[in-house]
Amino acid sequence: MVKTLAKRCRLGDNDEVKRMAVHNSSALVVFSGGQDSTTCLFWALERFNKVEAVTFNYNQRHKQEIDCAKAIASELGIVHTVLDMSLLHQLTANALTRPEMEISSGGKGDLPSTFVDGRNLLFMSFAAVLAKQKGMQHIVTGVCETDFSGYPDCRDVFIKSLNVTVNLAMEYQFVIHTPLMWLNKAQTWKLADDMGKLDYIRMKTLTCYEGVMGEGCGQCPACKLRNNGLIQYKQGK
């Protein structure tokens, strides 16, 4: 079964696999307390019988997001695990692990200063380990290739590759879901609105690199992307 799944994922044809036994099954959501992961949390709650969340503490610049994630999980009654990933803080220097570094969007082929080498690789791998211990096959993440900051570990090809890798590494049938992969930020806000959660996500999540709740500081790249998407969605309604 694992070999069959690996072949399907290599071919980029895992939609059939993702439809298998979604209802009456469980999912683990990789959860930061931000707009995208909270949207994915509500998405998962509509589709899976049991949902849990995992958050990673890597001594990030905007560590208030951990408290935000805890608060949301508590309010929704979701089992929430916080894993210590402080080793990542030791390994890589960037604007999210070094508060003295300037936040910049990159350019001329350079990655943004907020890119954390190996973050999604490690997060998704550790999420898979946790999911297996809990008997869960489905993992949900809010990565997106459409409206994103240029992070290579948010690409669809990376997620598909990793799905095959963790399946083979643990001889287990994981299915990684990326409901936002082909949505821009305006479409992500529409999805939240369709689920009746737009105001909740707008007010109770933390996306801002400076740790400001809701609409954020308005100046960092994350805030600009989030707020511009909301404006675009409202204008198009």
Side-chain angles (χ1 to χ4, degrees):
M1 178 64 75
V2 170
K3 291 180 180 178
T4 301
L5 177 62
K7 181 178 179 182
R8 287 175 178 171
C9 288
R10 282 198 299 271
L11 295 174
D13 182 23
N14 62 346
D15 287 344
E16 178 184 349
V17 179
K18 290 183 177 183
R19 287 194 295 268
M20 292 167 53
V22 170
H23 291 289
N24 299 319
S25 60
S26 56
L28 181 66
V29 178
V30 178
F31 185 52
S32 70
Q35 175 196 359
D36 291 344
S37 66
T38 305
T39 301
C40 288
L41 183 62
F42 284 118
W43 179 91
L45 286 168
E46 287 192 348
R47 287 162 175 78
F48 296 93
N49 186 52
K50 177 183 177 182
V51 174
E52 295 189 16
V54 60
T55 299
F56 298 94
N57 181 356
Y58 59 103
N59 292 336
Q60 54 267 53
R61 178 187 194 125
H62 49 314
K63 61 181 61 177
Q64 296 95 329
E65 70 176 16
I66 299 172
D67 293 332
C68 181
K70 288 179 178 179
I72 293 172
S74 176
E75 183 174 345
L76 298 179
I78 291 171
V79 174
H80 182 218
T81 302
V82 179
L83 295 181
D84 180 6
M85 294 290 290
S86 54
L87 177 63
L88 188 57
H89 184 277
Q90 300 174 41
L91 286 172
T92 176
N94 53 77
L96 293 192
T97 60
R98 301 293 186 272
E100 68 275 10
M101 290 182 64
E102 181 182 355
I103 294 176
S104 62
S105 300
K108 297 182 179 179
D110 295 329
L111 289 170
S113 67
T114 52
F115 175 64
V116 182
D117 284 314
R119 180 172 60 172
N120 283 341
L121 172 63
L122 292 174
F123 285 6
M124 296 303 296
S125 297
F126 277 85
V129 174
L130 179 63
K132 184 179 180 183
Q133 306 316 302
K134 290 176 172 288
M136 296 176 161
Q137 292 179 288
H138 299 273
I139 302 170
V140 182
T141 177
V143 297
C144 168
E145 189 173 324
T146 306
D147 248 0
F148 74 133
S149 300
Y151 298 168
D153 59 359
C154 288
R155 295 176 297 178
D156 185 60
V157 65
F158 165 72
I159 296 297
K160 282 188 167 64
S161 172
L162 184 64
N163 201 155
V164 174
T165 298
V166 294
N167 289 354
L168 295 175
M170 287 181 260
E171 194 67 25
Y172 196 75
Q173 189 180 341
F174 296 106
V175 183
I176 300 178
H177 300 263
T178 55
L180 309 184
M181 181 59 73
W182 306 115
L183 303 184
N184 61 32
K185 271 292 181 286
Q187 292 168 327
T188 300
W189 281 115
K190 181 181 185 302
L191 175 59
D193 203 10
D194 289 345
M195 295 187 292
K197 303 300 181 182
L198 188 146
D199 287 338
Y200 185 100
I201 292 171
R202 184 172 65 87
M203 300 302 297
K204 294 192 175 185
T205 61
L206 194 160
T207 303
C208 177
Y209 290 146
E210 300 295 348
V212 181
M213 286 283 295
E215 295 178 355
C217 71
Q219 298 301 314
C220 73
C223 284
K224 289 179 180 178
L225 188 61
R226 169 182 165 134
N227 294 338
N228 288 341
L230 182 58
I231 291 170
Q232 182 183 350
Y233 170 60
K234 288 184 174 179
Q235 289 176 341
K237 286 186 71 174

